Amino acid sequence: MKKQNVRTLSLIVCTFTYLLIGAAVFDSLESSTEKQRKEVLQEIESIVRRKYNISDEDFKIMETVVLKSEPHRAGRQWKFVGAFYYATTVLTTIGYGHSTPSTIAGKLFTMCYAMIGIPLGLVMFQSIGERVNRLSSVIIRSVKSSLRCRQTNASELDLICVVTTLSSLTIAGGAAAFSRYEGWSYFDSVYYCFITLTTIGFGDMVALQKDSALSDKPEYVMFALIFILFGLAIVAASLNLLVLRFVTMNTEDERRDEAQAMQASAGAVRLEGDVITANGSILSGHLDHQCTETTSLDPDDTSVCSCHCGCFANSVRNRYSIRRSPTQILLPVLPMHELHLPKGALPPPPAIYPNHRASI
């Protein structure tokens, strides 16, 4: 089995095993808490209904009003600033879900916009990540040269350390700012930054969604957008070093196999038909470089075939081949002049092989 197939099967098995482990861990961590919260909410619902004597229909209406009015706390979601924020979440595939189009035209444009914007964003962030890695390698070489290190080249381990440090600083700085503006705890802010920069985008915590931040806090809106774009560029640099290295391994193996196959087939010679040696002996050739001798060869016979198979130990390997398919092949004929035949029996006539095809 090829190395690429083994690697692919191993990745599939490892991924499904990782999914099973994650499901078991999340079940043990969140299942009991979910049950407790559901019981608490049901108890609060029954208390509110008894206190205000609300019917089931009225309570469902109140639930709908509360849920639908949640996005409007940030102000006008579909004015230019809010629409730019939404377009950013679409292009970066974060997809918080805090605001979604409600019209058919808006949904149709979102699909068309994403088909062009997502590949464009991926290419842009990948290019920025490569530039960041190139700048990091230049800085590392300068630092090593100033410290008079023997090895001044930037290794992959050095780049990984630099990019990991930049990612950590970006998340830490962004968490401090979001904790101040949103009123979240620092841990929740770190969680929000990680979910955002990895483009998971659960939507349970979304910035710019209260106190009319989209319209009243332009500096905060600018900071949030810059944080998303800059942070994704740093994450792209990390992916360029970590993930793409493993992704390109299959391509490298395929190219290596193709090169080996071409190198092996460069010296292979396909043999068709019969081969005539220099003294007139005939060999029957086959595609698998095996030959069957129809006329015995003397030790001093020399083949004129360009094949380098094992049955021609003394043959000379040529870089060219000539094929011709004559209707008749004649052995050398003496010139037309007076013949002086020896006394006795006449020699046999020249051999004629009709409809013979030879490859030389």
Side-chain angles (χ1 to χ4, degrees):
M1 185 178 292
K2 288 186 177 182
K3 186 185 299 182
Q4 300 92 312
N5 298 333
V6 174
R7 185 183 297 116
T8 301
L9 292 176
S10 302
L11 288 174
I12 293 173
V13 172
C14 291
T15 300
F16 276 96
T17 304
Y18 193 72
L19 290 174
L20 293 175
I21 294 174
V25 173
F26 287 129
D27 185 6
S28 62
L29 293 177
E30 297 292 335
S31 181
S32 58
T33 304
E34 179 190 19
K35 183 179 179 180
Q36 294 175 1
R37 288 185 175 181
K38 182 178 180 180
E39 293 175 353
V40 171
L41 290 174
Q42 289 177 347
E43 184 178 355
I44 294 174
E45 177 183 345
S46 61
I47 292 174
V48 171
R49 287 186 174 184
R50 288 195 305 266
K51 182 177 181 180
Y52 297 100
N53 194 17
I54 301 175
S55 62
D56 294 339
E57 292 76 9
D58 294 338
F59 188 81
K60 290 181 179 179
I61 293 174
M62 290 180 60
E63 282 183 335
T64 303
V65 170
V66 171
L67 292 176
K68 295 295 183 181
S69 61
E70 182 67 24
H72 298 284
R73 295 183 181 181
R76 300 287 298 275
Q77 290 281 359
W78 293 106
K79 296 301 286 184
F80 183 79
V81 177
F84 189 84
Y85 188 47
Y86 170 78
T88 302
T89 60
V90 171
L91 187 141
T92 57
T93 68
I94 296 175
Y96 288 128
H98 63 289
S99 62
T100 55
S102 57
T103 62
I104 296 178
K107 295 176 182 179
L108 181 61
F109 181 74
T110 297
M111 292 187 290
C112 297
Y113 185 80
M115 290 176 62
I116 300 176
I118 291 175
L120 179 63
L122 292 176
V123 173
M124 182 196 70
F125 287 121
Q126 183 64 31
S127 179
I128 294 175
E130 292 178 356
R131 295 301 95 192
V132 171
N133 291 332
R134 182 63 62 86
L135 179 62
S136 301
S137 62
V138 172
I139 295 175
I140 291 173
R141 285 198 299 267
S142 300
V143 172
K144 287 186 175 182
S145 299
S146 61
L147 295 177
R148 297 180 180 179
C149 298
R150 294 182 178 179
Q151 185 60 259
T152 59
N153 294 329
S155 62
E156 290 187 359
L157 181 60
D158 297 333
L159 293 175
I160 290 174
C161 293
V162 171
V163 172
T164 303
T165 303
L166 287 176
S167 302
S168 301
L169 292 176
T170 302
I171 292 176
F178 288 117
S179 177
R180 176 184 176 184
Y181 280 101
E182 296 290 340
W184 299 332
S185 65
Y186 187 77
F187 179 78
D188 288 341
S189 299
V190 172
Y191 167 79
Y192 165 76
C193 293
F194 181 83
I195 295 300
T196 298
L197 297 184
T198 53
T199 69
I200 297 175
F202 287 130
D204 53 344
M205 300 178 66
V206 183
L208 305 173
Q209 295 302 301
K210 67 178 184 179
D211 300 333
S212 300
L214 290 174
S215 57
D216 296 342
K217 298 178 180 179
E219 71 284 353
Y220 181 39
V221 175
M222 185 64 65
F223 168 78
L225 294 174
I226 293 175
F227 169 79
I228 292 174
L229 298 176
F230 178 77
L232 287 176
I234 300 300
V235 171
S238 303
L239 295 177
N240 183 266
L241 292 173
L242 299 176
V243 178
L244 294 182
R245 176 59 181 170
F246 294 97
V247 172
T248 55
M249 289 179 67
N250 283 334
T251 305
E252 293 177 356
D253 291 338
E254 290 178 357
R255 291 179 178 176
R256 188 182 303 110
D257 292 342
E258 291 178 358
Q260 292 177 356
M262 293 178 63
Q263 184 178 3
S265 63
V269 178
R270 300 186 63 182
L271 185 62
E272 298 178 359
D274 297 337
V275 179
I276 302 176
T277 59
N279 67 341
S281 300
I282 303 173
L283 298 177
S284 178
H286 302 279
L287 293 176
D288 55 354
H289 289 262
Q290 297 176 356
C291 62
T292 303
E293 187 175 0
T294 59
T295 303
S296 60
L297 289 173
D298 295 331
D300 57 347
D301 287 341
T302 303
S303 173
V304 296
C305 175
S306 61
C307 175
H308 61 277
C309 53
C311 60
F312 300 111
N314 299 324
S315 62
V316 179
R317 186 181 305 174
N318 298 326
R319 295 297 181 183
Y320 58 90
S321 61
I322 302 175
R323 176 180 294 176
R324 52 186 177 180
S325 301
T327 56
Q328 293 182 346
I329 297 179
L330 301 178
L331 292 180
V333 181
L334 294 176
M336 298 297 297
H337 57 80
E338 183 179 359
L339 300 176
H340 299 280
L341 299 178
K343 296 181 179 181
L346 294 175
I352 299 177
Y353 302 91
N355 298 328
H356 179 76
R357 181 171 179 232
S359 297
I360 300 177

